[in-house]
Coordinates of all heavy atoms in Angstrom, one line a residue:
V1 N 33.2 9.9 -55.5 CA 33.6 10.8 -56.6 C 34.9 10.3 -57.2 O 35.8 9.9 -56.5 CB 33.8 12.2 -56.0 CG1 34.1 13.2 -57.1 CG2 32.5 12.7 -55.3
Q2 N 34.9 10.3 -58.5 CA 36.1 9.9 -59.2 C 37.3 10.8 -59.0 O 37.1 12.0 -59.0 CB 35.8 9.8 -60.7 CG 36.7 8.9 -61.5 CD 36.3 9.0 -63.0 OE1 35.2 9.2 -63.3 NE2 37.3 8.8 -63.8
A3 N 38.5 10.3 -58.7 CA 39.7 11.1 -58.5 C 39.9 11.9 -59.8 O 39.8 11.4 -60.9 CB 40.9 10.2 -58.2
G4 N 40.3 13.2 -59.6 CA 40.6 14.1 -60.7 C 39.3 14.9 -61.1 O 39.4 15.7 -62.0
H5 N 38.2 14.6 -60.5 CA 37.0 15.4 -60.8 C 36.4 16.0 -59.6 O 35.2 16.2 -59.5 CB 36.0 14.5 -61.5 CG 36.5 14.0 -62.9 ND1 37.4 13.0 -63.0 CD2 36.3 14.5 -64.1 CE1 37.6 12.9 -64.3 NE2 37.0 13.8 -65.0
L6 N 37.2 16.2 -58.6 CA 36.7 16.7 -57.3 C 36.5 18.3 -57.4 O 37.3 18.9 -58.1 CB 37.7 16.4 -56.2 CG 37.8 14.9 -55.8 CD1 39.0 14.8 -54.9 CD2 36.5 14.4 -55.2
A7 N 35.5 18.7 -56.7 CA 35.3 20.2 -56.5 C 36.0 20.5 -55.1 O 35.5 20.0 -54.1 CB 33.8 20.5 -56.5
I8 N 37.0 21.4 -55.2 CA 37.8 21.7 -54.0 C 37.5 23.1 -53.6 O 37.7 24.0 -54.4 CB 39.3 21.4 -54.3 CG1 39.4 19.9 -54.5 CG2 40.1 21.8 -53.1 CD1 40.5 19.6 -55.5
T9 N 37.2 23.3 -52.3 CA 37.0 24.7 -51.8 C 38.3 25.2 -51.4 O 39.2 24.5 -51.1 CB 36.0 24.6 -50.6 OG1 36.6 23.8 -49.5 CG2 34.6 24.1 -50.9
P10 N 38.4 26.6 -51.3 CA 39.6 27.2 -50.7 C 40.0 26.7 -49.3 O 41.1 26.6 -49.0 CB 39.2 28.7 -50.7 CG 38.2 28.9 -51.8 CD 37.4 27.6 -51.7
T11 N 39.0 26.4 -48.5 CA 39.2 25.9 -47.2 C 39.9 24.5 -47.2 O 40.9 24.3 -46.5 CB 37.9 25.7 -46.4 OG1 37.2 27.0 -46.4 CG2 38.1 25.2 -45.0
E12 N 39.5 23.7 -48.1 CA 40.1 22.3 -48.3 C 41.5 22.5 -48.8 O 42.5 21.9 -48.4 CB 39.3 21.5 -49.2 CG 39.9 20.1 -49.5 CD 40.0 19.2 -48.3 OE1 39.2 19.4 -47.4 OE2 40.9 18.4 -48.3
L13 N 41.6 23.4 -49.8 CA 43.0 23.7 -50.4 C 44.0 24.1 -49.4 O 45.1 23.7 -49.4 CB 42.8 24.7 -51.5 CG 44.0 25.2 -52.3 CD1 44.7 24.1 -53.0 CD2 43.6 26.3 -53.3
A14 N 43.5 25.0 -48.5 CA 44.4 25.6 -47.5 C 45.0 24.6 -46.5 O 46.0 24.8 -45.9 CB 43.6 26.6 -46.7
K15 N 44.3 23.4 -46.4 CA 44.8 22.3 -45.5 C 46.1 21.7 -46.0 O 46.8 21.1 -45.3 CB 43.7 21.3 -45.3 CG 42.5 21.7 -44.6 CD 41.4 20.6 -44.5 CE 40.1 21.2 -44.0 NZ 39.0 20.2 -44.2
H16 N 46.3 21.8 -47.3 CA 47.4 21.1 -48.0 C 48.6 22.1 -48.2 O 48.8 22.5 -49.3 CB 46.9 20.5 -49.3 CG 45.8 19.5 -49.1 ND1 46.0 18.2 -48.8 CD2 44.5 19.7 -49.1 CE1 44.8 17.6 -48.6 NE2 43.9 18.5 -48.8
N17 N 49.2 22.5 -47.1 CA 50.2 23.5 -47.2 C 51.5 23.0 -46.5 O 52.3 23.9 -46.1 CB 49.7 24.8 -46.5 CG 49.4 24.6 -45.0 OD1 49.4 23.5 -44.5 ND2 49.2 25.7 -44.3
K18 N 51.7 21.7 -46.5 CA 52.9 21.2 -45.8 C 53.8 20.5 -46.9 O 53.3 20.1 -47.9 CB 52.6 20.1 -44.8 CG 51.8 20.7 -43.6 CD 51.3 19.6 -42.7 CE 50.1 18.8 -43.2 NZ 48.9 19.7 -43.3
L19 N 55.1 20.4 -46.6 CA 56.1 19.8 -47.6 C 55.6 18.3 -47.9 O 55.8 17.8 -49.0 CB 57.5 19.7 -47.0 CG 58.3 21.0 -47.1 CD1 59.5 20.9 -46.2 CD2 58.7 21.2 -48.6
S20 N 55.0 17.7 -46.9 CA 54.6 16.3 -47.0 C 53.2 16.2 -47.7 O 52.8 15.0 -48.0 CB 54.6 15.6 -45.7 OG 53.7 16.3 -44.8
D21 N 52.6 17.3 -47.9 CA 51.2 17.3 -48.4 C 50.9 18.7 -48.9 O 50.3 19.5 -48.2 CB 50.2 16.9 -47.3 CG 48.8 17.0 -47.7 OD1 48.5 17.0 -49.0 OD2 47.9 17.1 -46.9
A22 N 51.3 18.9 -50.2 CA 51.1 20.3 -50.7 C 50.3 20.3 -52.0 O 50.6 19.6 -53.0 CB 52.5 20.9 -51.0
W23 N 49.3 21.1 -52.0 CA 48.4 21.4 -53.2 C 48.5 22.8 -53.5 O 48.7 23.7 -52.6 CB 47.0 21.0 -52.9 CG 46.6 19.6 -52.7 CD1 47.5 18.5 -52.5 CD2 45.3 19.1 -52.5 NE1 46.8 17.4 -52.2 CE2 45.4 17.7 -52.2 CE3 44.0 19.6 -52.5 CZ2 44.3 16.8 -52.0 CZ3 42.9 18.8 -52.3 CH2 43.1 17.4 -52.1
L24 N 48.3 23.2 -54.8 CA 48.1 24.6 -55.2 C 47.2 24.6 -56.4 O 47.0 23.6 -57.0 CB 49.5 25.3 -55.4 CG 50.4 24.9 -56.5 CD1 49.9 25.1 -57.9 CD2 51.7 25.7 -56.4
S25 N 46.7 25.8 -56.6 CA 45.7 26.0 -57.7 C 46.3 27.0 -58.7 O 46.8 28.1 -58.3 CB 44.4 26.4 -57.1 OG 43.5 26.7 -58.2
I26 N 46.2 26.7 -60.0 CA 46.5 27.7 -61.0 C 45.3 27.7 -62.0 O 44.9 26.6 -62.5 CB 47.8 27.3 -61.7 CG1 49.0 27.3 -60.8 CG2 48.1 28.3 -62.9 CD1 50.3 26.8 -61.4
R27 N 44.8 28.9 -62.3 CA 43.7 29.0 -63.2 C 42.5 28.0 -63.0 O 42.0 27.4 -63.9 CB 44.2 29.0 -64.6 CG 45.1 30.1 -65.0 CD 45.4 30.1 -66.5 NE 46.6 30.9 -66.7 CZ 47.5 30.6 -67.6 NH1 47.4 29.5 -68.4 NH2 48.6 31.4 -67.8
G28 N 42.2 27.9 -61.7 CA 41.0 27.1 -61.3 C 41.2 25.6 -61.2 O 40.3 24.9 -60.9
R29 N 42.5 25.2 -61.5 CA 42.8 23.7 -61.4 C 43.7 23.5 -60.3 O 44.7 24.2 -60.1 CB 43.4 23.2 -62.8 CG 42.5 23.6 -64.0 CD 43.1 23.1 -65.2 NE 42.8 21.6 -65.4 CZ 43.6 20.7 -65.8 NH1 44.8 21.1 -66.2 NH2 43.3 19.5 -65.9
V30 N 43.4 22.5 -59.5 CA 44.1 22.1 -58.3 C 45.1 21.0 -58.6 O 44.7 20.0 -59.1 CB 43.2 21.8 -57.1 CG1 44.0 21.4 -55.9 CG2 42.3 23.0 -56.8
F31 N 46.4 21.2 -58.1 CA 47.4 20.1 -58.3 C 48.0 19.7 -57.0 O 48.2 20.6 -56.2 CB 48.5 20.6 -59.3 CG 48.0 21.0 -60.6 CD1 47.7 22.4 -60.9 CD2 47.8 20.1 -61.7 CE1 47.2 22.8 -62.2 CE2 47.4 20.5 -62.9 CZ 47.1 21.8 -63.2
N32 N 48.3 18.4 -56.9 CA 49.1 18.0 -55.7 C 50.5 18.1 -56.2 O 51.0 17.2 -57.0 CB 48.7 16.5 -55.4 CG 49.4 16.0 -54.2 OD1 50.5 16.5 -53.8 ND2 48.9 14.9 -53.6
I33 N 51.2 19.1 -55.6 CA 52.6 19.3 -56.0 C 53.7 18.6 -55.2 O 54.9 18.8 -55.4 CB 52.9 20.8 -56.0 CG1 52.6 21.5 -54.6 CG2 52.2 21.5 -57.1 CD1 53.2 22.8 -54.4
T34 N 53.2 17.8 -54.2 CA 54.1 17.1 -53.3 C 55.3 16.4 -54.0 O 56.5 16.6 -53.7 CB 53.4 16.1 -52.4 OG1 52.2 16.7 -51.9 CG2 54.2 15.7 -51.2
A35 N 55.0 15.6 -55.0 CA 56.0 14.8 -55.7 C 56.9 15.6 -56.5 O 58.0 15.3 -56.8 CB 55.3 13.7 -56.5
Y36 N 56.4 16.8 -57.0 CA 57.2 17.7 -57.9 C 58.1 18.6 -57.1 O 59.1 19.1 -57.7 CB 56.2 18.5 -58.7 CG 56.9 19.4 -59.7 CD1 57.7 18.9 -60.7 CD2 56.9 20.8 -59.6 CE1 58.4 19.7 -61.6 CE2 57.6 21.6 -60.5 CZ 58.3 21.1 -61.5 OH 59.0 21.9 -62.4
L37 N 57.9 18.8 -55.8 CA 58.7 19.7 -55.0 C 60.2 19.5 -55.2 O 61.0 20.5 -55.4 CB 58.3 19.6 -53.5 CG 57.1 20.3 -53.1 CD1 56.6 19.9 -51.7 CD2 57.3 21.8 -53.1
P38 N 60.8 18.3 -55.1 CA 62.2 18.1 -55.2 C 62.7 18.4 -56.6 O 63.9 18.5 -56.8 CB 62.4 16.6 -54.9 CG 61.1 16.1 -54.3 CD 60.1 17.0 -54.8
F39 N 61.8 18.4 -57.6 CA 62.2 18.6 -59.0 C 62.1 20.1 -59.5 O 62.5 20.4 -60.6 CB 61.4 17.7 -59.9 CG 61.6 16.2 -59.6 CD1 60.6 15.6 -58.9 CD2 62.8 15.6 -60.0 CE1 60.8 14.2 -58.6 CE2 62.9 14.2 -59.7 CZ 61.9 13.6 -59.0
H40 N 61.4 20.9 -58.7 CA 61.2 22.3 -59.1 C 62.5 23.0 -59.3 O 63.3 23.1 -58.4 CB 60.3 23.0 -58.1 CG 60.0 24.5 -58.4 ND1 60.3 25.5 -57.6 CD2 59.4 25.0 -59.5 CE1 60.0 26.6 -58.2 NE2 59.4 26.4 -59.3
P41 N 62.8 23.6 -60.5 CA 64.1 24.3 -60.8 C 64.3 25.4 -59.8 O 65.5 25.8 -59.6 CB 63.9 24.7 -62.2 CG 62.9 23.8 -62.8 CD 61.9 23.5 -61.7
G42 N 63.3 26.1 -59.3 CA 63.4 27.2 -58.4 C 63.5 26.7 -57.0 O 63.7 27.6 -56.1
G43 N 63.5 25.5 -56.7 CA 63.6 24.9 -55.4 C 62.3 24.7 -54.7 O 61.3 25.4 -55.0
P44 N 62.2 23.8 -53.7 CA 61.0 23.5 -53.0 C 60.5 24.7 -52.2 O 59.2 24.9 -52.2 CB 61.3 22.4 -52.1 CG 62.8 22.2 -52.1 CD 63.3 22.9 -53.3
E45 N 61.3 25.5 -51.7 CA 60.9 26.7 -50.9 C 60.1 27.6 -51.7 O 59.1 28.2 -51.2 CB 62.1 27.4 -50.2 CG 63.0 26.5 -49.3 CD 64.0 25.7 -50.1 OE1 64.1 25.8 -51.3 OE2 64.7 24.8 -49.4
E46 N 60.6 27.9 -52.9 CA 59.9 28.9 -53.8 C 58.5 28.3 -54.2 O 57.5 29.0 -54.1 CB 60.7 29.1 -55.1 CG 61.8 30.1 -54.9 CD 61.3 31.5 -54.7 OE1 60.3 31.9 -55.3 OE2 61.9 32.3 -53.9
L47 N 58.5 27.0 -54.5 CA 57.2 26.4 -54.9 C 56.2 26.4 -53.8 O 55.0 26.6 -54.0 CB 57.5 25.0 -55.4 CG 56.3 24.2 -56.0 CD1 55.5 25.0 -57.1 CD2 56.8 22.9 -56.6
M48 N 56.8 26.2 -52.5 CA 55.9 26.2 -51.4 C 55.2 27.5 -51.1 O 54.3 27.6 -50.3 CB 56.7 25.7 -50.1 CG 56.9 24.2 -50.0 SD 55.4 23.3 -50.0 CE 54.8 23.6 -48.4
R49 N 55.7 28.6 -51.7 CA 55.1 29.9 -51.5 C 53.6 29.9 -52.0 O 52.8 30.7 -51.6 CB 55.9 31.0 -52.2 CG 57.2 31.3 -51.6 CD 58.0 32.3 -52.5 NE 57.3 33.6 -52.6 CZ 57.5 34.5 -53.5 NH1 58.3 34.2 -54.5 NH2 56.8 35.6 -53.5
G50 N 53.4 29.0 -53.0 CA 52.0 28.9 -53.5 C 51.2 27.8 -52.9 O 50.0 27.6 -53.2
A51 N 51.7 27.0 -52.0 CA 51.1 25.9 -51.4 C 49.8 26.3 -50.6 O 49.9 27.2 -49.8 CB 52.0 25.1 -50.5
G52 N 48.7 25.5 -50.8 CA 47.5 25.8 -50.1 C 46.7 27.0 -50.6 O 45.8 27.4 -49.9
K53 N 47.1 27.5 -51.7 CA 46.5 28.7 -52.2 C 46.2 28.7 -53.7 O 46.6 27.8 -54.4 CB 47.5 29.9 -52.1 CG 48.0 30.2 -50.7 CD 49.1 31.2 -50.8 CE 49.9 31.3 -49.4 NZ 51.1 32.2 -49.6
D54 N 45.4 29.7 -54.1 CA 45.3 30.0 -55.5 C 46.6 30.7 -55.9 O 46.8 31.9 -55.5 CB 44.1 30.9 -55.8 CG 44.0 31.2 -57.2 OD1 44.9 31.0 -58.0 OD2 42.9 31.7 -57.6
A55 N 47.5 30.0 -56.5 CA 48.9 30.6 -56.8 C 49.0 31.1 -58.3 O 50.1 31.3 -58.8 CB 49.9 29.4 -56.7
T56 N 47.8 31.4 -58.8 CA 47.8 31.9 -60.2 C 48.6 33.1 -60.5 O 49.5 33.1 -61.3 CB 46.3 32.2 -60.7 OG1 45.5 31.0 -60.5 CG2 46.3 32.5 -62.2
S57 N 48.4 34.2 -59.6 CA 49.1 35.4 -59.9 C 50.6 35.3 -59.6 O 51.5 35.8 -60.3 CB 48.5 36.6 -59.0 OG 48.4 36.2 -57.7
L58 N 51.0 34.5 -58.5 CA 52.4 34.2 -58.2 C 53.1 33.5 -59.3 O 54.1 33.9 -59.8 CB 52.4 33.4 -56.9 CG 53.7 33.1 -56.2 CD1 54.4 34.4 -55.9 CD2 53.5 32.3 -54.9
F59 N 52.4 32.5 -59.9 CA 52.9 31.8 -61.0 C 53.2 32.7 -62.2 O 54.2 32.7 -62.8 CB 52.0 30.6 -61.4 CG 52.5 29.8 -62.5 CD1 53.3 28.7 -62.3 CD2 52.1 30.1 -63.8 CE1 53.8 27.9 -63.3 CE2 52.6 29.3 -64.9 CZ 53.4 28.2 -64.6
E60 N 52.2 33.5 -62.5 CA 52.2 34.4 -63.7 C 53.3 35.5 -63.5 O 53.9 35.9 -64.5 CB 50.9 35.1 -63.9 CG 49.7 34.2 -64.2 CD 49.8 33.5 -65.5 OE1 50.7 33.8 -66.3 OE2 49.0 32.6 -65.8
E61 N 53.6 35.9 -62.3 CA 54.6 36.9 -62.0 C 56.0 36.3 -62.3 O 56.9 37.0 -62.7 CB 54.6 37.3 -60.5 CG 53.6 38.4 -60.2 CD 53.3 38.5 -58.7 OE1 54.3 38.3 -57.9 OE2 52.2 38.9 -58.3
V62 N 56.2 35.0 -61.9 CA 57.5 34.4 -61.9 C 57.8 33.8 -63.3 O 58.9 34.1 -63.9 CB 57.6 33.3 -60.9 CG1 59.0 32.7 -60.9 CG2 57.3 33.8 -59.5
H63 N 57.0 33.0 -63.9 CA 57.3 32.3 -65.1 C 56.0 31.9 -65.9 O 55.7 30.7 -65.9 CB 58.2 31.2 -64.9 CG 57.9 30.3 -63.7 ND1 56.6 30.0 -63.3 CD2 58.7 29.7 -62.9 CE1 56.7 29.2 -62.3 NE2 57.9 29.0 -61.9
P64 N 55.3 32.9 -66.5 CA 54.1 32.5 -67.2 C 54.3 31.6 -68.4 O 53.4 30.9 -68.9 CB 53.6 33.9 -67.7 CG 54.8 34.8 -67.7 CD 55.6 34.3 -66.6
W65 N 55.6 31.4 -68.8 CA 55.9 30.6 -70.0 C 56.0 29.1 -69.6 O 56.0 28.2 -70.5 CB 57.2 31.0 -70.6 CG 58.4 30.9 -69.7 CD1 59.2 29.8 -69.4 CD2 58.9 32.0 -68.9 NE1 60.1 30.1 -68.4 CE2 59.9 31.4 -68.1 CE3 58.5 33.3 -68.7 CZ2 60.6 32.2 -67.1 CZ3 59.2 34.1 -67.8 CH2 60.3 33.5 -67.0
V66 N 56.0 28.8 -68.4 CA 56.2 27.4 -67.9 C 54.9 26.6 -68.2 O 53.8 27.0 -67.9 CB 56.6 27.3 -66.4 CG1 56.5 25.8 -65.9 CG2 58.0 27.8 -66.2
N67 N 55.0 25.4 -68.8 CA 53.9 24.6 -69.2 C 53.5 23.7 -68.0 O 53.8 22.5 -68.0 CB 54.2 23.7 -70.4 CG 52.9 23.1 -71.0 OD1 51.9 23.0 -70.3 ND2 53.0 22.5 -72.2
Y68 N 52.9 24.3 -67.0 CA 52.6 23.6 -65.7 C 51.6 22.4 -66.0 O 51.6 21.4 -65.3 CB 52.0 24.5 -64.7 CG 50.7 25.2 -65.0 CD1 49.5 24.7 -64.6 CD2 50.7 26.3 -65.8 CE1 48.3 25.3 -65.0 CE2 49.5 26.9 -66.2 CZ 48.3 26.4 -65.7 OH 47.1 27.0 -66.1
E69 N 50.7 22.6 -66.9 CA 49.6 21.6 -67.2 C 50.2 20.3 -67.7 O 49.8 19.2 -67.3 CB 48.7 22.1 -68.3 CG 47.9 23.4 -68.0 CD 46.4 23.1 -67.9 OE1 46.0 22.0 -67.7 OE2 45.7 24.1 -68.0
S70 N 51.3 20.4 -68.4 CA 52.0 19.2 -68.9 C 52.8 18.6 -67.8 O 52.7 17.4 -67.5 CB 52.9 19.6 -70.1 OG 53.8 18.6 -70.4
I71 N 53.6 19.5 -67.1 CA 54.4 19.0 -66.0 C 53.6 18.3 -64.9 O 54.0 17.2 -64.4 CB 55.3 20.1 -65.4 CG1 56.2 20.7 -66.4 CG2 56.0 19.7 -64.2 CD1 56.9 22.0 -66.0
L72 N 52.5 18.9 -64.6 CA 51.7 18.4 -63.4 C 50.5 17.5 -63.9 O 49.5 17.4 -63.1 CB 51.2 19.6 -62.6 CG 52.3 20.4 -62.0 CD1 51.6 21.6 -61.2 CD2 53.2 19.6 -61.0
Q73 N 50.5 17.0 -65.1 CA 49.4 16.2 -65.6 C 49.0 15.1 -64.7 O 47.8 15.0 -64.5 CB 49.9 15.6 -66.9 CG 48.8 15.2 -67.9 CD 49.4 14.8 -69.2 OE1 50.6 14.9 -69.4 NE2 48.6 14.2 -70.1
K74 N 49.9 14.4 -64.1 CA 49.5 13.3 -63.2 C 49.2 13.8 -61.8 O 48.9 12.9 -60.9 CB 50.6 12.3 -63.2 CG 50.8 11.6 -64.5 CD 51.9 10.6 -64.5 CE 52.0 9.8 -65.9 NZ 53.3 9.0 -66.0
C75 N 49.4 15.1 -61.5 CA 49.2 15.6 -60.2 C 47.9 16.3 -60.1 O 47.6 16.9 -59.0 CB 50.3 16.6 -59.8 SG 52.0 15.8 -60.0
F76 N 47.0 16.3 -61.1 CA 45.8 17.0 -61.1 C 44.8 16.3 -60.1 O 44.7 15.1 -60.0 CB 45.1 16.9 -62.5 CG 43.8 17.6 -62.6 CD1 43.7 19.0 -62.4 CD2 42.6 16.9 -62.8 CE1 42.4 19.6 -62.5 CE2 41.4 17.5 -62.9 CZ 41.3 18.8 -62.7
V77 N 44.2 17.2 -59.2 CA 43.4 16.7 -58.2 C 41.9 17.0 -58.5 O 41.0 16.2 -58.3 CB 43.7 17.3 -56.8 CG1 42.8 16.8 -55.7 CG2 45.2 17.0 -56.4
G78 N 41.6 18.3 -58.9 CA 40.3 18.7 -59.2 C 40.2 20.2 -59.5 O 41.2 20.8 -59.8
H79 N 39.0 20.7 -59.4 CA 38.7 22.1 -59.7 C 38.4 22.9 -58.4 O 37.7 22.5 -57.6 CB 37.6 22.2 -60.7 CG 37.9 21.7 -62.0 ND1 37.5 20.4 -62.4 CD2 38.6 22.2 -63.1 CE1 38.0 20.1 -63.6 NE2 38.6 21.2 -64.1
L80 N 39.0 24.1 -58.4 CA 38.8 25.0 -57.3 C 37.4 25.7 -57.5 O 37.1 26.2 -58.5 CB 39.8 26.1 -57.3 CG 39.8 27.0 -56.1 CD1 40.1 26.3 -54.8 CD2 40.9 28.1 -56.2
V81 N 36.6 25.6 -56.4 CA 35.2 26.2 -56.5 C 35.2 27.3 -55.4 O 35.9 27.3 -54.4 CB 34.1 25.1 -56.2 CG1 34.1 24.1 -57.3 CG2 34.3 24.5 -54.8
P82 N 34.3 28.3 -55.7 CA 34.2 29.4 -54.7 C 33.7 28.9 -53.4 O 32.9 27.9 -53.4 CB 33.2 30.3 -55.3 CG 33.1 29.9 -56.7 CD 33.4 28.4 -56.8
L83 N 34.1 29.5 -52.3 CA 33.7 29.1 -51.0 C 32.2 29.6 -50.8 O 31.9 30.7 -51.1 CB 34.5 29.8 -49.9 CG 34.5 29.3 -48.5 CD1 34.7 27.8 -48.4 CD2 35.5 30.0 -47.7
S84 N 31.3 28.7 -50.4 CA 29.9 29.1 -50.2 C 29.4 28.3 -49.0 O 29.9 27.2 -48.7 CB 29.1 28.8 -51.4 OG 29.0 27.4 -51.6
P85 N 28.5 28.8 -48.2 CA 27.9 28.1 -47.0 C 27.4 26.7 -47.3 O 27.6 25.8 -46.5 CB 26.8 29.0 -46.6 CG 27.1 30.4 -47.2 CD 27.8 30.1 -48.5
S86 N 26.9 26.5 -48.5 CA 26.3 25.2 -48.8 C 27.4 24.2 -49.1 O 27.2 23.0 -49.0 CB 25.4 25.3 -50.1 OG 26.1 25.8 -51.1
K87 N 28.6 24.6 -49.5 CA 29.7 23.7 -49.9 C 30.7 23.5 -48.7 O 31.5 22.6 -48.8 CB 30.4 24.3 -51.1 CG 29.6 24.1 -52.4 CD 30.4 23.6 -53.5 CE 29.6 23.1 -54.7 NZ 29.3 24.2 -55.6
D88 N 30.6 24.4 -47.8 CA 31.7 24.3 -46.7 C 31.0 24.5 -45.3 O 31.4 25.1 -44.5 CB 32.7 25.4 -47.0 CG 34.1 24.8 -46.8 OD1 34.4 23.9 -47.6 OD2 34.9 25.2 -46.0
Ligands
LIG1 C1 61.7 28.2 -62.1 C2 59.3 30.2 -58.4 C3 55.5 27.3 -59.4 C4 58.1 25.1 -62.8 C5 61.4 29.0 -61.0 C6 62.2 30.0 -60.5 C7 61.6 30.6 -59.4 C8 60.3 29.9 -59.3 C9 62.0 31.7 -58.5 C10 63.6 30.5 -61.0 C11 64.7 29.6 -60.6 C12 66.0 30.1 -61.1 O1 66.1 30.5 -62.3 O2 67.0 30.0 -60.4 C13 58.1 29.6 -58.4 C14 57.0 30.0 -57.5 C15 56.0 29.2 -57.7 C16 56.3 28.3 -58.8 C17 57.1 31.1 -56.4 C18 54.6 29.3 -57.1 C19 53.5 29.3 -57.7 C20 55.9 26.5 -60.4 C21 55.1 25.4 -60.9 C22 55.8 24.8 -61.9 C23 57.1 25.4 -61.9 C24 53.7 25.1 -60.5 C25 55.5 23.7 -62.8 C26 54.6 22.7 -62.5 C27 59.3 25.8 -63.0 C28 60.2 25.6 -64.1 C29 61.2 26.5 -63.9 C30 61.0 27.2 -62.7 C31 60.1 24.6 -65.2 C32 62.4 26.8 -64.8 C33 61.9 27.8 -65.8 C34 62.9 28.4 -66.7 O3 64.1 28.5 -66.4 O4 62.4 29.0 -67.8 N1 60.3 28.9 -60.3 N2 57.7 28.6 -59.2 N3 57.1 26.4 -61.0 N4 59.8 26.8 -62.1 FE1 58.7 27.7 -60.6

């Protein structure tokens, strides 16, 4: 499967919840935020609150104006898909 076109389940997403390996999802798109952690203006700890999760509501609560799609353009991993027995 070509990188950037992966279908990622919530179970797979949840595995990436460490400072050394952190993914999060916003509006159905999954990003590898590991490289961005040191640059996040709110600090790595704040950004890690969304790690391994669908962080859409958290993101919207804090700063809906931030253009995450642009910032994380090169960090795109794939699309979040619903958990189903056939996929997981
Ligand atoms: C600022 C939290 C995700 C980009 C902040 C601040 C907090 C925060 C508390 C305010 C820092 C301050 O003013 O002292 C969070 C949380 C996230 C998250 C809990 C979990 C989902 C992201 C993502 C991006 C991002 C995914 C971009 C890829 C920024 C930017 C600012 C900022 C650009 C500065 C915004 C401004 O001042 O208008 N964040 N953040 N954050 N964050 Fe996040």
Side-chain angles (χ1 to χ4, degrees):
V1 183
Q2 200 182 332
H5 294 81
L6 293 171
I8 296 147
T9 61
T11 302
E12 177 62 31
L13 178 60
K15 294 174 188 167
H16 304 272
N17 63 348
K18 296 175 283 294
L19 278 169
S20 58
D21 175 21
W23 294 5
L24 61 65
S25 178
I26 300 174
R27 294 187 197 142
R29 307 183 79 221
V30 177
F31 301 94
N32 182 340
I33 53 163
T34 313
Y36 182 65
L37 281 165
F39 301 101
H40 179 238
E45 300 83 5
E46 280 291 324
L47 185 49
M48 281 302 287
R49 290 174 64 204
K53 300 173 192 170
D54 181 347
T56 307
S57 50
L58 190 55
F59 181 88
E60 299 291 353
E61 277 167 31
V62 182
H63 42 37
W65 58 86
V66 168
N67 191 347
Y68 65 94
E69 297 247 22
S70 169
I71 296 170
L72 299 177
Q73 202 172 354
K74 292 178 178 170
C75 305
F76 179 65
V77 179
H79 293 96
L80 186 64
V81 298
L83 194 54
S84 70
S86 59
K87 288 224 167 85
D88 228 62

